[in-house]
Amino acid sequence: MITVSNVSVQFGKRVLFNEVNLKFTNGNCYGVIGANGAGKSTFLRTISGDLDPTTGNITLGPGERLSVLSQDHFKWDAYTVLDTVMMGHTILWDIMKQREALYAKEDFTDEDGMRVSELEEKFAELDGWNAESDAAALLSGLGIKEDLHYTLMGELSGKQKVRVMLAQALYGEPDNLLLDEPTNDLDMETVQWLEDYLANCEHTVLVVSHDRHFLDAVSTHTIDIDFGKINMFAGNYSFWYESSQLALRQQQNQRAKADEKRKELEEFIRRFSANVAKSRQATSRRKMLEKLNVDEIKPSSRKYPGIIFTPEREPGNQILEVKDLAANGPDGTPLFKGVSFNVEKDDKVVFLSRDPRAMTALFQIINGEEEPVAGEYKWGVTITTAYLPLDNTKYFESDLNLVDWLGQFSSGNEVYLKGFLGRMLFSGEEVLKKVNVLSGGEKMRCMIARMQLKDANCLILDTPTNHLDLESIQAFNNNLKSYKGNVLFSSHDHEFIQTVANRIIELTPNGIIDKMMSYDDYIHSDHIKELRDKFYK
């Protein structure tokens, strides 16, 4: 249990949040949401004790332990993987080190013997005899194989370190767990493992994530940080989003009678509760809406960007033909080979690979930015494309303001350009900001505005949710679902893929897997799992 009492955090004149009073209890997982810069990570750092609040205090239940997902991937470079995980349980690790030091003494005294006896009792109480096997089991579940368990952390790749840090945070079943973007750099199998683990966790969990599917799978409550306030709502992200949008529509429709509004909200709660009951979550999590009442549903004050792609012309029958395409990484490693496929009308294709460089290489090739090692491609004569690259650095190496920057890609006047920037939530003096000082999220919104100017009938999106907040991701997702052209994309966002893609092409070093099916069906199919193992050998 975590109790937050009258907590405020202020940096100079800027107040992130003020007089927060919340209680987080066992058996619940709290998804923390808020716009970029709202203070999500700061809130977790304050709870962990890494940052002192300006006012108020934070307390844990008596004798409870708090564990935090570390963001420092170099701190443990001199330790083995297994030791790094066990160091997550600081009390047990300290006892283990004291035992080792005493047993190593040559002049072992009676006093040392008494101390060892005390340590052995505590060691047994903390299940110390299973410490290594428990750590090994966690690592295996997170995709770190046994042959790496005694390797030094400094020898691991960045993605492997992320998994070890996650195992460290989960180790020893802490009473309270804080996770800031835990799914970053995890593959889909590991994310599923983590979803199952947290959905059945009986302790207190707070998690910050931009992955809506992940939040929906694990959260019993939503913590919304908005305009200096922190509010708690029953239900996961989808419930919070859909209910707040419903309440906003009702608020805007002043003519609706109070009893009609209440009936609509009650029906919404019933429908959502039925969906929760069918989920994969543990039984305890299915009760998350039992105490919810209609009065708790409030409109959100969030602003959503106007991401609207409108093709100028309908695509013809020939979209894209790819034949025997091959590409290598910078080190010569094959990313894919023998890739052949035709994109058909109405296809919205997600490209997958265990090596994310494969998708980027494919998109760069079909956009004419890179040459393939082998093969060819041909666009249909009616097709116009708009490309969102993974790395947009080269587009912002100037001191132009936003209006002039966007003007490079359009013949429209200043009012016209400001309209597109306004859609992307740039207003007033913000449109005069220099593009070389923009944040990652602001640059992405500029790139999306640039794409909208083209009125293209085929969108090529390389990991489009990178750097975007939940509001922008939701708006992007909503438009792509109804977009009348073709979409070729890659993404780490489960919900984005599931709701947009109707076709899946997985690029491997030994060919492709090409299926017309939903993402959920793809990742849960035993046949597909066998195919993937075969193609990656």
Side-chain angles (χ1 to χ4, degrees):
M1 182 174 69
I2 302 171
T3 303
V4 178
S5 304
N6 298 315
V7 166
S8 303
V9 172
Q10 182 173 346
F11 298 105
K13 293 182 178 180
R14 186 187 179 206
V15 179
L16 274 185
F17 35 84
N18 191 40
E19 294 186 0
V20 178
N21 290 280
L22 294 170
K23 183 176 286 187
F24 304 103
T25 56
N26 291 349
N28 289 314
C29 180
Y30 302 86
V32 183
I33 65 172
N36 288 343
K40 301 183 294 295
S41 296
T42 300
F43 185 53
L44 261 60
R45 288 180 59 207
T46 306
I47 292 175
S48 71
D50 186 44
L51 179 70
D52 291 329
T54 307
T55 65
N57 59 80
I58 294 161
T59 57
L60 306 180
E64 290 187 349
R65 186 167 71 90
L66 175 73
S67 184
V68 182
L69 175 60
S70 174
Q71 303 296 323
D72 186 348
H73 298 166
F74 303 98
K75 183 177 179 180
W76 289 271
D77 278 0
Y79 298 93
T80 67
V81 168
L82 204 62
D83 282 353
T84 299
V85 174
M86 292 189 291
M87 289 168 75
H89 194 327
T90 54
I91 299 171
L92 177 58
W93 180 256
D94 184 55
I95 290 171
M96 291 171 67
K97 293 295 103 179
Q98 288 186 56
R99 285 172 72 247
E100 289 177 11
L102 287 169
Y103 283 131
K105 288 182 67 174
E106 293 183 2
D107 53 342
F108 195 84
T109 65
D110 290 343
E111 185 178 345
D112 291 332
M114 293 177 63
R115 178 58 181 155
V116 164
S117 178
E118 293 173 1
L119 291 173
E120 288 292 358
E121 184 177 352
K122 292 179 181 177
F123 183 72
E125 287 176 1
L126 295 172
D127 200 22
W129 297 110
N130 293 317
E132 287 198 10
S133 60
D134 288 346
L138 264 179
L139 286 166
S140 297
L142 287 165
I144 301 296
K145 297 180 180 179
E146 288 184 21
D147 58 355
L148 292 175
H149 290 186
Y150 293 95
T151 302
L152 291 180
M153 285 288 289
E155 298 176 21
L156 299 188
S157 69
K159 291 185 177 181
Q160 289 171 326
K161 285 184 177 181
V162 167
R163 288 168 166 75
V164 178
M165 294 295 93
L166 188 52
Q168 183 191 70
L170 301 177
Y171 180 69
E173 296 190 3
D175 305 288
N176 304 283
L177 180 61
L178 307 182
L179 302 173
D180 193 349
E181 297 290 356
T183 63
N184 280 1
D185 291 320
L186 298 184
D187 58 27
M188 59 187 182
E189 290 91 350
T190 309
V191 172
Q192 287 175 33
W193 181 93
L194 183 59
E195 286 178 3
D196 291 336
Y197 182 95
L198 294 179
N200 291 284
C201 179
E202 293 302 322
H203 303 295
T204 304
V205 182
L206 274 75
V207 57
V208 171
S209 179
H210 285 91
D211 187 327
R212 294 160 299 157
H213 182 275
F214 179 75
L215 286 177
D216 281 351
V218 304
S219 298
T220 59
H221 296 74
T222 296
I223 306 301
D224 181 30
I225 304 179
D226 195 15
F227 291 101
K229 295 181 179 179
I230 303 182
N231 294 305
M232 181 187 297
F233 301 93
N236 58 20
Y237 172 78
S238 285
F239 181 83
W240 171 86
Y241 172 73
E242 292 178 24
S243 62
S244 66
Q245 292 296 298
L246 173 58
L248 181 61
R249 289 194 298 272
Q250 288 189 339
Q251 185 184 72
Q252 292 168 344
N253 183 8
Q254 298 296 331
R255 293 174 297 176
K257 295 179 181 179
D259 58 339
E260 291 176 353
K261 289 183 179 181
R262 191 172 191 86
K263 286 179 182 177
E264 189 177 11
L265 291 171
E266 287 172 344
E267 175 58 26
F268 171 77
I269 292 172
R270 279 194 294 272
R271 282 191 290 104
F272 199 89
S273 298
N275 290 336
V276 169
K278 297 174 185 175
S279 73
R280 295 187 297 117
Q281 294 180 359
T283 303
S284 61
R285 296 299 173 91
R286 295 174 186 165
K287 300 177 180 178
M288 67 182 183
L289 300 177
E290 284 183 355
K291 298 180 180 179
L292 185 68
N293 63 64
V294 172
D295 297 327
E296 292 185 48
I297 297 179
K298 306 292 183 186
S300 171
S301 56
R302 289 282 206 286
K303 291 183 178 180
Y304 292 80
I307 300 178
I308 305 169
F309 294 106
T310 51
E312 188 172 29
R313 65 179 295 182
E314 185 179 344
N317 291 325
Q318 185 180 349
I319 312 298
L320 173 65
E321 181 182 358
V322 172
K323 187 175 181 181
D324 294 328
L325 217 59
N328 295 338
D331 57 356
T333 305
L335 298 175
F336 55 81
K337 63 183 178 182
V339 171
S340 298
F341 61 85
N342 287 330
V343 176
E344 307 292 341
K345 199 169 185 179
D346 299 324
D347 277 355
K348 294 181 179 179
V349 188
V350 63
F351 291 87
L352 308 176
S353 178
R354 290 182 181 174
D355 189 338
R357 297 178 302 171
M359 287 87 77
T360 296
L362 176 68
F363 294 151
Q364 288 176 332
I365 289 169
I366 64 175
N367 275 281
E369 295 189 356
E370 297 289 341
E371 290 294 324
V373 172
E376 58 186 8
Y377 65 94
K378 182 181 180 181
W379 287 101
V381 295
T382 65
I383 302 305
T384 54
T385 63
Y387 176 41
L388 186 67
L390 179 66
D391 182 3
N392 57 37
T393 306
K394 68 180 183 181
Y395 291 91
F396 297 95
E397 294 174 342
S398 74
D399 60 355
L400 294 173
N401 64 43
L402 268 63
V403 176
D404 292 338
W405 179 87
L406 194 59
Q408 299 175 104
F409 313 108
S410 170
S411 58
N413 60 31
E414 185 173 310
V415 173
Y416 177 77
L417 297 171
K418 284 183 176 180
F420 279 89
L421 291 169
R423 283 188 195 176
M424 301 311 298
L425 305 182
F426 295 109
S427 60
E429 295 298 314
E430 284 186 313
V431 300
L432 300 179
K433 288 174 69 172
K434 304 295 185 183
V435 296
N436 55 12
V437 299
L438 297 178
S439 67
E442 289 172 326
K443 288 177 180 177
M444 281 295 286
R445 284 189 277 134
C446 284
M447 292 296 289
I448 294 168
R450 170 182 174 269
M451 290 182 69
Q452 290 180 92
L453 288 169
K454 300 190 72 173
D455 294 329
N457 56 24
C458 182
L459 306 179
I460 303 166
L461 312 169
D462 193 349
T463 324
T465 59
N466 271 12
H467 303 295
L468 293 180
D469 57 24
L470 279 170
E471 289 70 49
S472 299
I473 293 171
Q474 188 75 58
F476 210 154
N477 198 164
N478 289 347
N479 183 248
L480 290 187
K481 287 190 289 186
S482 58
Y483 176 66
K484 299 302 182 183
N486 290 96
V487 184
L488 312 179
F489 73 106
S490 64
S491 179
H492 301 302
D493 188 306
H494 185 121
E495 186 73 9
F496 204 91
I497 300 172
Q498 173 64 18
T499 56
V500 174
N502 56 20
R503 182 178 175 185
I504 295 171
I505 297 179
E506 183 156 2
L507 305 170
T508 82
N510 299 300
I512 66 170
I513 304 170
D514 188 350
K515 298 292 180 181
M516 296 291 294
M517 62 196 308
S518 74
Y519 184 56
D520 279 343
D521 289 342
Y522 188 85
I523 62 177
H524 292 119
S525 166
D526 290 335
H527 172 63
I528 297 297
K529 289 175 184 176
E530 292 173 3
L531 276 178
R532 297 180 82 232
D533 290 341
K534 175 183 175 182
F535 272 90
Y536 281 102
K537 280 183 179 178

